[in-house]
Amino acid sequence: MKSLNGSELAGYIKANQDHLVRILRAKKIQPKLVIIRDSENPVIAKYVQLKQRYGEDIGIEVVDYLTEDVEKAIREVNEDKSVHAVIVQLPLRDRRDATELVNLISPEKDVDGLGEKAEYDSATATAINWLLAGYNVDLEKEKIALVGYGKLVGRPLAEMWRNSGYDVRVFRHEDDLNELRDYSVIVSATGVPHLIKTEMVKPGAIVVDAGTASEDGILVGDVSDEVRKRADLEAITPRVGGVGPLTVTALFEHVIGAANKLSR
């Protein structure tokens, strides 16, 4: 069984990004990303720190903007010409506000690709595409099941793949997931721990776990451990180092693109 190792692919792309940032800085352009959040939750803070560390590695300035007034912060950085990229670190304390707020981000700075008019694709959806392409999975030949239809992953990925003409069906987590046995590629992004059981997955399938949830303080995915123990699968993401590392890499690819475009 093949491991879909996103960390390995991210390393190659990161090296090229370092080169691209050096070129920008030689032109006196300092790429800058602002991350806006309203929570001091340690899990959220950890995600922000990972992005700050990645930015530092390749020469991109990453500002952690913790505030009570997310709307005001977005409007402020939209007008700041030194800022090339903006993301709102989700979840917000009031989740009802999320859609309205991400739509306030200037489309040319919306590098997470979550706003309705964003000029960039969803970073996570891009990462999943990169991961499968990097391991030579030809989606044109596959029957694809996408579990979850959320704003961050499922919805943008479904749109991306349908626009490419792929055979994809969307399942909600409450649907009959035993029907997943009819599909050769399964991508799950619901945030429901251990949702995908081994009896739902046929031999030879390719499984991508893009779900994230906290269980007793530990980050877990959608796919149960029993699935990962199977030797009869074609490929599966590891518990750590699958989609996550590539999502950060895709985000910074968009930051570099935004810095290049907005500095012309």
Side-chain angles (χ1 to χ4, degrees):
M1 180 178 64
K2 188 186 301 180
S3 176
L4 299 173
N5 191 324
S7 296
E8 192 172 288
L9 290 175
Y12 294 119
I13 300 169
K14 187 177 183 180
N16 184 59
Q17 290 175 339
D18 178 76
H19 174 68
L20 294 175
V21 174
R22 287 175 188 274
I23 292 173
L24 287 172
R25 294 177 73 175
K27 297 177 182 177
K28 308 300 182 184
I29 299 168
Q30 173 56 64
K32 183 175 180 180
L33 165 67
V34 174
I35 303 173
I36 300 170
R37 61 186 173 109
D38 68 355
S39 170
E40 296 187 72
N41 180 295
V43 174
I44 292 175
K46 181 180 179 182
Y47 280 128
V48 173
Q49 288 164 9
L50 285 171
K51 290 165 187 169
Q52 286 181 308
R53 194 175 308 129
Y54 191 105
E56 186 177 335
D57 287 347
I58 62 173
I60 290 179
E61 182 181 355
V62 180
V63 177
D64 179 12
Y65 195 153
L66 178 61
T67 178
E68 294 286 334
D69 193 339
V70 174
E71 180 177 345
K72 180 182 177 183
I74 292 171
R75 296 189 186 281
E76 179 183 314
V77 295
N78 277 347
E79 298 300 319
D80 187 340
K81 292 185 178 180
S82 74
V83 176
H84 305 103
V86 180
I87 67 172
V88 173
Q89 186 66 52
L90 302 177
L92 295 172
R93 285 183 299 184
D94 189 343
R95 294 175 185 238
R96 294 171 298 177
D97 294 339
T99 298
E100 180 181 337
L101 288 169
V102 296
N103 280 325
L104 293 177
I105 300 172
S106 295
E108 67 273 16
K109 294 185 178 185
D110 185 0
V111 290
D112 236 354
L114 298 183
E116 291 175 2
K117 297 182 180 179
E119 293 185 5
Y120 298 90
D121 289 326
S122 155
T124 307
T126 299
I128 293 169
N129 253 351
W130 282 358
L131 182 64
L132 292 170
Y135 282 94
N136 301 313
V137 178
D138 186 355
L139 293 176
E140 287 187 356
K141 299 178 180 178
E142 304 291 351
K143 191 175 179 183
I144 308 164
L146 179 54
V147 188
Y149 198 62
K151 185 175 185 60
L152 286 171
V153 187
R155 196 175 308 168
L157 191 57
E159 182 178 350
M160 187 184 295
W161 281 348
R162 283 168 176 161
N163 288 341
S164 297
Y166 299 157
D167 179 7
V168 56
R169 176 183 169 187
V170 174
F171 289 80
R172 268 56 171 203
H173 71 268
E174 65 269 20
D175 291 340
D176 182 4
L177 298 184
N178 288 309
E179 293 182 31
L180 293 176
R181 284 189 63 86
D182 295 332
Y183 293 83
S184 53
V185 174
I186 300 170
V187 178
S188 188
T190 68
V192 179
H194 319 299
L195 176 69
I196 308 302
K197 311 295 186 187
T198 188
E199 62 270 16
M200 301 171 183
V201 183
K202 71 177 182 179
I206 296 166
V207 183
V208 175
D209 188 352
T212 304
S214 179
E215 188 176 68
D216 299 325
I218 300 171
L219 290 178
V220 295
D222 288 2
V223 178
S224 69
D225 290 339
E226 288 73 20
V227 179
R228 287 196 170 84
K229 293 174 184 176
R230 287 175 50 177
D232 63 347
L233 300 181
E234 174 70 22
I236 191 169
T237 49
R239 285 193 65 180
V240 178
V243 174
L246 270 181
T247 297
V248 177
T249 303
L251 173 70
F252 279 92
E253 191 80 1
H254 295 166
V255 175
I256 294 166
N260 193 39
K261 185 176 181 180
L262 293 173
S263 301
R264 288 175 186 166

